[in-house]
Amino acid sequence: MFTSIQKGHPLVSANNNKQTVTMFLKHLKLKSRMILVLGMMALVQTGFIGLFAVHYLQTSLDEQIGERAMDVARTISTMPTVITGVQNRDSTFLQPLSLILAERTHARFVVIGDSNGIRLAHPFTERLGRPMFDDDGDDNATALVNGQSYLSRAEGSMGWTMRAKVPVFSRQLDAVIGVVSVGYELEKIDAVIARYRYTLLIVIACSLALSALIAVWFANHFKQAIFGLEPEEVARLVEEQKATLESVREGIIAINADGRITTINHTAIETLGLNPQQDYKGAPLLDVVPDSCMMEVLASGEPQYDQEIWRPDLTLISNRIPMRQGERITGVVSSFRRQDELALMSRKLSRIQQHADSLRAQSHEYSNKLHTIAGLIQIGSTDEALALIGQEAQSHQELISLLREAVPDPILAGCLLGKYNRARELSLNLVIDPESHMLEIPSHLPREHLVSIIGNLIDNALEATLHHRGAGGEVFLSMTDYGEDLIFEIEDQGPGIEPERQQAIFERGVSNKNQEGHGIGLHLVKSLLTSLGGSISLESEPGNGSCFVVYIPKQPA
């Protein structure tokens, strides 16, 4: 049967005391905790060492005094005059001799007795002739009967002493004829130990003070290393960091200066196709991700932004940033995300922007047309107003008819119509080759990719033409789907591109325009074509415009 533990039970009291101590320590600051803990450690260690030292000192002093008493007693027991005096029971001779020997050996007493244990010499003459065990607390049997020397610590007639008792043998060494007892006071030992105890207390106090100073210094240094936070705050930040790493949709990997993984979140494990059951913390990075460039960043200390990582089944966009502590590189953090997620977001934004541009262009253009028509009607030029309306309707109708026949895909046709209106808004002409033919766009080809590629190239061509040729400039677009590729040719009337810069123009951040934020469109075009297995060529002559030709295979790459 189970028995309940009542209140007041020792187990309950122990648990309550433990909880009380824990709550008390939690309310203290780190510095106070360190002073308290280090002080208690110093107190316990110093006290333990002190007790051991006092015990060892007492034992050593007892042994030394015992050995000294034994040596003196053995020397006296072998003196011929003492042996003769004991045989003759000559107290008159032995009494003054014992006093002289005690004085010269600094002994508390030298007592000599016969074979019956009767005192023959004693510091107090009134005790001569009396048995030694009456007030010495010893019966002397070990020395008188067994003939053995021994030490004893006892309280006798002269107080607590360390005494050595040695038998006195006859000259022929065939019989015990008496006993010699030499004693040394233990009060001196107690005085020495008391003095050491006082010294020990001073050492303990100094140790506590030193521990407090060390605790203050260490606490300040430690808190500076953890940015002045308390341990509970550090623990909370660690938990928050862990939750944050697991909540973000980007993969994150961090390594230390030795190239070992210190942090890796679930998204990184899932994106890289690693085993989710395995713990990768502490593992060498190159054993987990052999083709990682984080070791290059660790060696060079140069960050890498928006780097493309080509893997067999996916493409990643990665950023790698070194971690520094002062001038020393302590590790590298890498965040990465699937390119298709970024591309999807970019496509959605591009489509929204294209629709907005198209609507703005149409609104602006038709507003101007309406104002012109209204002005013509007000001045009575109704024939010219009707001609302008017919011309505008005919122009749009021709474009719509061309797109309907040549480009039945609504997404691509809508993009081209929006770019046509954008060109009209800029006072430019987007001329689409009437011989264009784009009927066989494969179903697997992402329309968002195609729109991004063509839209960026047309936008670049319109800007280049506007800045170089001005109003009235033209951009030519030709399309064909004959053969195994979809081919788009965009030609502008811009300033052209120098031969030495034609390869670099597709790199991120490289542009002919000096405004901030350019140099992304052609890089995106190149990346999208690479993912589709396509290619792009450039023919340009400075001052005579540029011609971009895009090839997109119909079959999947």
Side-chain angles (χ1 to χ4, degrees):
M1 295 180 63
F2 294 100
T3 58
S4 61
I5 300 177
Q6 300 296 330
K7 187 175 181 180
H9 191 277
L11 284 176
V12 177
S13 300
N15 290 333
N16 290 337
N17 292 336
K18 184 177 181 181
Q19 292 177 358
T20 302
V21 172
T22 304
M23 293 298 296
F24 173 72
L25 290 177
K26 283 185 176 180
H27 284 86
L28 292 178
K29 295 295 185 181
L30 178 62
K31 185 181 298 184
S32 302
R33 276 187 248 178
M34 286 190 171
I35 293 175
L36 181 61
V37 172
L38 291 179
M40 293 298 296
M41 288 179 59
L43 181 62
V44 172
Q45 291 177 354
T46 309
F48 176 78
I49 294 174
L51 291 175
F52 175 78
V54 170
H55 175 73
Y56 181 77
L57 177 62
Q58 184 171 2
T59 304
S60 298
L61 291 177
D62 286 348
E63 290 178 356
Q64 291 178 10
I65 292 178
E67 291 176 359
R68 184 174 181 181
M70 183 62 72
D71 292 339
V72 172
R74 284 173 178 171
T75 301
I76 294 175
S77 67
T78 57
M79 294 175 62
T81 54
V82 173
I83 295 174
T84 301
V86 172
Q87 286 178 338
N88 297 331
R89 298 178 184 274
D90 188 358
S91 295
T92 306
F93 173 74
L94 294 176
Q95 173 66 15
L97 178 62
S98 66
L99 297 175
I100 295 173
L101 292 174
E103 182 181 359
R104 290 184 177 181
T105 58
H106 302 287
R108 179 68 180 86
F109 60 81
V110 175
V111 178
I112 303 174
D114 60 11
S115 59
N116 296 320
I118 303 300
R119 293 188 183 94
L120 300 176
H122 194 276
F124 302 117
T125 56
E126 65 273 10
R127 296 182 182 180
L128 294 175
R130 294 171 60 183
M132 296 177 65
F133 59 85
D134 284 348
D135 52 3
D136 285 354
D138 198 347
D139 59 4
N140 303 295
T142 303
L144 295 174
V145 177
N146 300 327
Q148 297 177 354
S149 303
Y150 67 95
L151 290 170
S152 68
R153 180 186 178 100
E155 185 178 14
S157 60
M158 305 186 70
W160 282 96
T161 57
M162 176 68 72
R163 62 186 63 184
K165 295 207 174 186
V166 178
V168 179
F169 292 92
S170 62
R171 292 182 182 276
Q172 292 77 21
L173 301 177
D174 56 354
V176 177
I177 60 174
V179 62
V180 175
S181 177
V182 178
Y184 283 87
E185 291 179 336
L186 294 179
E187 294 179 357
K188 295 182 179 179
I189 296 178
D190 294 337
V192 172
I193 294 176
R195 188 169 65 250
Y196 275 94
R197 287 197 187 99
Y198 177 75
T199 304
L200 179 62
L201 291 176
I202 296 177
V203 171
I204 291 176
C206 293
S207 298
L208 289 175
L210 182 60
S211 298
L213 293 176
I214 294 176
V216 171
W217 173 82
F218 184 73
N220 291 333
H221 177 73
F222 187 75
K223 291 202 69 173
Q224 183 179 3
I226 60 175
F227 305 102
L229 301 174
E230 293 294 323
E232 291 78 10
E233 296 175 332
V234 175
R236 186 170 62 253
L237 287 176
V238 171
E239 293 298 327
E240 290 177 0
Q241 180 194 35
K242 187 183 300 183
T244 303
L245 289 177
E246 295 301 332
S247 65
V248 297
R249 297 184 60 187
E250 289 193 352
I252 297 177
I253 298 179
I255 61 174
N256 58 16
D258 298 326
R260 294 185 175 273
I261 296 176
T262 58
T263 300
I264 180 170
N265 66 348
H266 179 74
T267 305
I269 295 176
E270 182 179 353
T271 303
L272 297 176
L274 302 177
N275 183 7
Q277 304 299 327
Q278 184 174 347
D279 186 9
Y280 294 99
K281 291 184 178 179
L285 173 68
L286 296 181
D287 291 350
V288 180
V289 189
D291 55 349
S292 175
C293 296
M294 294 176 67
M295 299 303 294
E296 299 178 6
V297 179
L298 185 64
S300 65
E302 296 295 330
Q304 298 178 358
Y305 299 102
D306 299 329
Q307 298 293 311
E308 294 184 357
I309 304 175
W310 301 94
R311 301 184 69 85
D313 53 347
L314 76 162
T315 303
L316 303 176
I317 303 298
S318 175
N319 295 287
R320 309 179 187 97
I321 301 175
M323 296 183 294
R324 300 179 183 272
Q325 189 172 7
E327 297 296 328
R328 186 168 60 93
I329 298 176
T330 58
V332 177
V333 175
S334 175
S335 63
F336 51 89
R337 194 166 185 175
R338 297 171 64 100
Q339 189 189 41
D340 51 5
E341 296 180 3
L342 298 176
L344 178 60
M345 185 181 299
S346 176
R347 290 193 298 268
K348 290 181 179 179
L349 294 176
S350 297
R351 292 177 64 179
I352 292 173
Q353 183 179 2
Q354 289 169 3
H355 287 306
D357 291 343
S358 177
L359 292 175
R360 186 177 64 251
Q362 290 182 4
S363 174
H364 182 73
E365 181 181 1
Y366 282 109
S367 176
N368 292 332
K369 298 295 183 183
L370 289 175
H371 290 153
T372 304
I373 294 172
L376 290 174
I377 294 174
Q378 289 177 358
I379 64 176
S381 301
T382 55
D383 294 337
E384 287 79 359
L386 292 173
L388 180 60
I389 295 173
Q391 178 184 0
E392 185 65 23
Q394 181 180 1
S395 176
H396 274 82
Q397 189 61 38
E398 290 177 356
L399 176 63
I400 293 174
S401 298
L402 173 62
L403 293 177
R404 183 182 300 162
E405 295 178 2
V407 189
D409 187 271
I411 296 178
L412 180 58
C415 174
L416 296 179
L417 182 59
K419 298 304 178 184
Y420 176 84
N421 293 327
R422 173 63 175 167
R424 295 291 298 273
E425 180 186 9
L426 297 175
S427 300
L428 300 175
N429 294 318
L430 175 60
V431 180
I432 300 178
D433 187 354
E435 300 297 326
S436 294
H437 188 270
M438 190 58 60
L439 302 178
E440 300 180 4
I441 301 179
S443 59
H444 69 84
L445 180 63
R447 298 305 190 267
E448 294 82 359
H449 282 38
L450 184 60
V451 167
S452 294
I453 294 171
I454 303 305
N456 275 290
L457 291 175
I458 293 177
D459 286 340
N460 286 346
L462 291 175
E463 289 188 24
T465 301
L466 180 63
H467 286 87
H468 183 69
R469 184 62 62 91
E474 295 183 341
V475 173
F476 300 93
L477 171 63
S478 175
M479 301 172 287
T480 180
D481 57 359
Y482 296 115
E484 297 181 355
D485 296 326
L486 304 179
I487 303 175
F488 298 86
E489 183 174 341
I490 297 95
E491 183 177 355
D492 62 46
Q493 293 179 340
I497 302 172
E498 297 82 357
E500 62 272 11
R501 300 186 70 247
Q502 291 182 9
Q503 292 298 325
I505 200 68
F506 296 102
E507 296 179 5
R508 184 179 181 88
V510 177
S511 173
N512 279 347
K513 297 177 282 293
N514 296 325
Q515 294 91 342
E516 186 178 355
H518 290 278
I520 300 177
L522 289 179
H523 173 74
L524 179 61
V525 168
K526 180 70 173 178
S527 300
L528 293 175
L529 285 173
T530 303
S531 66
L532 297 175
S535 61
I536 184 172
S537 64
L538 168 62
E539 296 180 2
S540 180
E541 183 178 349
N544 292 324
S546 302
C547 181
F548 291 87
V549 183
V550 173
Y551 301 89
I552 302 176
K554 295 180 181 180
Q555 299 299 323

